[in-house]
């Protein structure tokens, strides 16, 4: 009985904290602005509050209803109608919530530290599914076994970090552009004016085009960051040039291939050729070589950039190259700023292992996946804010 009483007390404390978080960030108003509201009946904010706290109570909605401990005042149909709506702008809701939180966190960061946007994708696996909208055969670059192609989506995510706290801003579940790689197609009865239809169109678009749209949206929203960080999967010269035209600098790890070249001294050279042609720094320097180059694309546009070569910690005989379009950054700042990219890897791990990403609801509609992911990221933002307030003395 003492265990039951303790669980009830913990649930009461948790429920109170969630209500405070929703009130502090005016989530009810954010939902209305995202077209998530009802004229009568159970308020949408109450349903979202219930979904956010589910994972912390270690219970599922199904078991709550089955055991009669639901206590939410509404049935499962209310939840499913919310999750499957094609008109709710979940991405706009999450961005508005993130900006509200960043305004609270940003003053805690010193003026000598640089904030950054971080881009990465992770596998959103639906291994046992067959009829989920736009379900595709996608490549999992993090998989070490031979079975690298899996059923699911690429969860492309844009987040913000000050080096201590990571806040997700936007996301999109990417399918395959190739119809032969898709197990199911989108519904054909969706209103083409709806957010759901536009999201499905983006899902079968190229990842860089979706990324550019996210960055433009973040720029219009006034997110406090000037740099975009990403790994070698996005580090193409044409991508870096486009991001600069949007209004952001880039810091990314570069891919060493024969097909990607840079202009230096009027000649096109690969990373390996650039590294071999220059003298390296000796001693215990943090980097081996720093070279200024020009990025170029098919349209004839060029952009100055700096490439910084560092020694690979895993193999002292190899090197790693980082590139930046911000020529005012020193080599040490480039290395230090890129280190913040690891925050998004921790974010994916927490969401998948602890916050039930891709595990809680197994709906077949694309909208349900989008809504579920927004719920999971709301949970993460709440935990990130609590962690910062509890550990940073400047938050007192």
């Amino acid at each position: 009985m003492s265990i039951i009483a303790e669980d009830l007390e913990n649930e009461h404390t948790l429920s109170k904290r969630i209500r405070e978080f929703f009130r502090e960030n005016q989530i009810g108003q954010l939902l209305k602005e995202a077209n998530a509201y009802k004229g009568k009946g159970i308020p949408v904010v109450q349903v979202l509050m219930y979904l956010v706290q589910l994972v912390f109570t270690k219970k599922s909605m199904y078991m709550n209803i089955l055991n009669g401990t639901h206590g939410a005042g509404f049935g499962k149909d209310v939840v499913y109608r919310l999750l499957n709506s094609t008109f709710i702008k979940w991405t706009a809701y999450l961005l508005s919530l993130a900006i509200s939180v960043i305004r609270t966190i940003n003053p805690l960061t010193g003026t000598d530290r640089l904030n950054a946007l971080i881009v990465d994708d992770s596998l959103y696996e639906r291994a046992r599914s067959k009829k989920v909208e736009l379900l595709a055969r996608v490549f999992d670059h993090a998989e070490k076994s031979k079975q690298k192609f899996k059923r699911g989506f690429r969860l492309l995510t844009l987040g913000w970090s000050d080096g201590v706290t990571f806040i997700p801003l936007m996301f999109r579940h990417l399918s395959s552009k190739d119809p032969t790689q898709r197990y199911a197609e989108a519904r054909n009865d969706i209103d083409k004016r709806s957010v759901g239809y536009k999201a499905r169109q983006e899902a079968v678009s190229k990842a860089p085009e979706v990324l550019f749209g996210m960055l433009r949206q973040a720029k219009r929203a006034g997110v406090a960051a000037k740099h975009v960080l990403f790994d070698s999967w996005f580090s193409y010269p044409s991508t870096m040039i486009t991001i600069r035209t949007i209004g952001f600098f880039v810091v990314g790890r570069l891919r060493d291939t024969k097909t990607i070249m840079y202009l230096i001294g009027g000649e096109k050279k690969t990373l390996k050729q650039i590294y071999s042609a220059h003298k390296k720094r000796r001693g215990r320097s943090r980097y081996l070589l720093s070279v200024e180059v020009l990025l170029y694309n098919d349209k004839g546009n060029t952009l100055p950039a700096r490439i910084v070569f560092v020694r690979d910690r895993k193999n002292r005989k190899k090197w790693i190259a980082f590139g930046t379009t911000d020529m005012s950054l020193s080599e040490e700042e480039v290395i230090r700023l890129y280190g913040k990219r690891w925050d998004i890897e921790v974010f994916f791990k927490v969401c998948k292992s602890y916050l039930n990403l891709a595990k809680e609801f197994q709906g077949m509609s694309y909208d349900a996946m989008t809504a579920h992911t927004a719920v999971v990221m709301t949970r993460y933002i709440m935990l990130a804010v609590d962690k910062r307030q509890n550990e940073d003395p400047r938050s007192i």
Side-chain angles (χ1 to χ4, degrees):
M1 293 297 292
S2 61
I3 295 177
I4 295 175
E6 183 178 351
D7 288 343
L8 290 174
E9 184 179 351
N10 290 339
E11 286 188 24
H12 177 72
T13 303
L14 173 65
S15 179
K16 180 181 178 181
R17 175 62 193 115
I18 292 175
R19 287 196 302 270
E20 290 175 354
F21 176 76
F22 272 58
R23 184 175 61 253
E24 290 167 359
N25 294 281
Q26 299 181 342
I27 290 183
Q29 181 61 32
L30 299 183
L31 288 170
K32 288 182 180 180
E33 293 173 359
N35 205 36
Y37 62 90
K38 293 177 67 177
K40 60 180 180 179
I42 303 298
V44 174
V45 66
Q46 185 176 331
V47 181
L48 180 61
M49 201 178 301
Y50 168 75
L51 293 175
V52 167
Q53 75 177 34
L54 266 181
V55 70
F56 302 111
T57 59
K58 300 180 181 179
K59 299 176 183 177
S60 68
M61 183 178 69
Y62 172 78
M63 292 304 299
N64 280 348
I65 296 174
L66 190 66
N67 297 331
T69 57
H70 190 45
F74 52 84
K76 62 180 181 180
D77 292 344
V78 173
V79 175
Y80 291 140
R81 281 198 298 270
L82 175 67
L83 296 179
N84 291 312
S85 173
T86 60
F87 293 96
I88 298 177
K89 305 174 185 176
W90 288 109
T91 302
Y93 150 75
L94 186 69
L95 178 60
S96 298
L97 173 60
I99 290 175
S100 174
V101 170
I102 290 172
R103 286 182 183 140
T104 304
I105 294 176
N106 200 36
L108 305 178
T109 307
T111 55
D112 58 330
R113 296 176 66 92
L114 294 174
N115 300 330
L117 299 180
I118 307 174
V119 178
D120 203 359
D121 63 351
S122 183
L123 176 68
Y124 186 98
E125 190 172 7
R126 295 294 299 268
R128 298 181 180 180
S129 303
K130 294 181 180 179
K131 297 182 180 180
V132 176
E133 280 189 276
L134 298 177
L135 181 71
R137 183 172 177 264
V138 295
F139 182 77
D140 182 14
H141 56 77
E143 180 61 52
K144 296 181 180 179
S145 66
K146 294 182 180 180
Q147 190 64 32
K148 288 184 176 292
F149 284 92
K150 298 181 179 180
R151 288 183 182 180
F153 301 83
R154 291 172 59 193
L155 180 59
L156 180 65
T157 305
L158 175 67
W160 174 93
S161 176
D162 63 352
V164 179
T165 302
F166 176 84
I167 303 295
L169 297 174
M170 283 173 280
F171 65 90
R172 182 63 70 216
H173 298 88
L174 299 182
S175 180
S176 174
K177 186 176 178 61
D178 184 1
T180 62
Q181 297 297 314
R182 298 199 291 264
Y183 296 97
E185 296 300 323
R187 289 162 44 196
N188 55 13
D189 60 341
I190 299 175
D191 189 338
K192 294 185 179 181
R193 298 169 297 178
S194 67
V195 177
Y197 179 81
K198 295 176 182 177
R200 287 165 173 81
Q201 294 296 108
E202 286 188 342
V204 294
S205 302
K206 293 182 178 179
E209 295 301 324
V210 179
L211 169 60
F212 299 150
M214 288 181 170
L215 291 174
R216 291 187 182 98
Q217 196 172 346
K219 188 69 176 179
R220 288 194 299 268
V223 178
K226 295 181 179 179
H227 299 82
V228 179
L229 315 180
F230 43 64
D231 62 9
S232 58
W233 289 95
F234 299 93
S235 292
Y236 293 94
S238 58
T239 301
M240 299 168 75
I241 291 173
T242 302
I243 291 177
R244 186 68 195 102
T245 61
I246 294 173
F248 292 103
F249 294 107
V250 166
V251 176
R253 179 172 174 173
L254 304 180
R255 186 183 299 186
D256 180 23
T257 67
K258 295 180 180 179
T259 57
I260 301 178
M261 295 187 176
Y262 307 88
L263 284 172
I264 180 169
E267 298 181 3
K268 296 180 181 180
K269 293 185 178 181
T270 64
L271 286 178
K272 188 174 293 185
Q273 291 171 337
I274 294 173
Y275 182 79
S276 301
H278 290 79
K279 186 178 180 180
K280 318 307 180 292
R281 291 167 61 92
R282 294 188 177 185
R284 295 187 177 182
S285 174
R286 292 196 65 187
Y287 63 96
L288 297 171
L289 176 65
S290 177
V291 181
E292 293 186 6
V293 300
L294 282 177
L295 306 176
Y296 67 93
N297 59 16
D298 296 338
K299 298 179 180 179
N301 299 322
T302 60
L303 180 67
R306 176 179 287 112
I307 300 177
V308 181
F309 294 86
V310 300
R311 199 179 302 278
D312 190 345
R313 291 182 180 179
K314 297 180 181 179
N315 188 336
R316 302 289 293 176
K317 295 181 180 180
K318 294 183 178 181
W319 46 263
I320 297 173
F322 300 114
T324 181
T325 55
D326 187 354
M327 305 302 287
S328 66
L329 291 179
S330 65
E331 290 78 6
E332 289 80 6
E333 287 175 323
V334 171
I335 298 170
R336 185 167 58 249
L337 187 57
Y338 182 80
K340 296 180 182 181
R341 198 203 68 82
W342 185 252
D343 292 350
I344 199 169
E345 302 290 354
V346 177
F347 161 75
F348 285 134
K349 176 65 175 178
V350 171
C351 288
K352 291 182 178 182
S353 299
Y354 301 102
L355 300 182
N356 286 348
L357 181 65
K359 300 174 183 177
E360 198 165 35
F361 295 99
Q362 297 297 311
M364 292 189 294
S365 81
Y366 189 85
D367 305 295
M369 285 192 306
T370 302
H372 161 65
T373 305
V375 170
V376 171
M377 292 189 180
T378 300
R379 293 168 181 164
Y380 184 91
I381 291 175
M382 186 183 71
L383 293 176
V385 171
D386 279 6
K387 183 176 184 293
R388 185 63 176 265
Q389 290 179 342
N390 292 333
E391 295 182 359
D392 195 333
R394 289 170 294 187
S395 66
I396 300 176

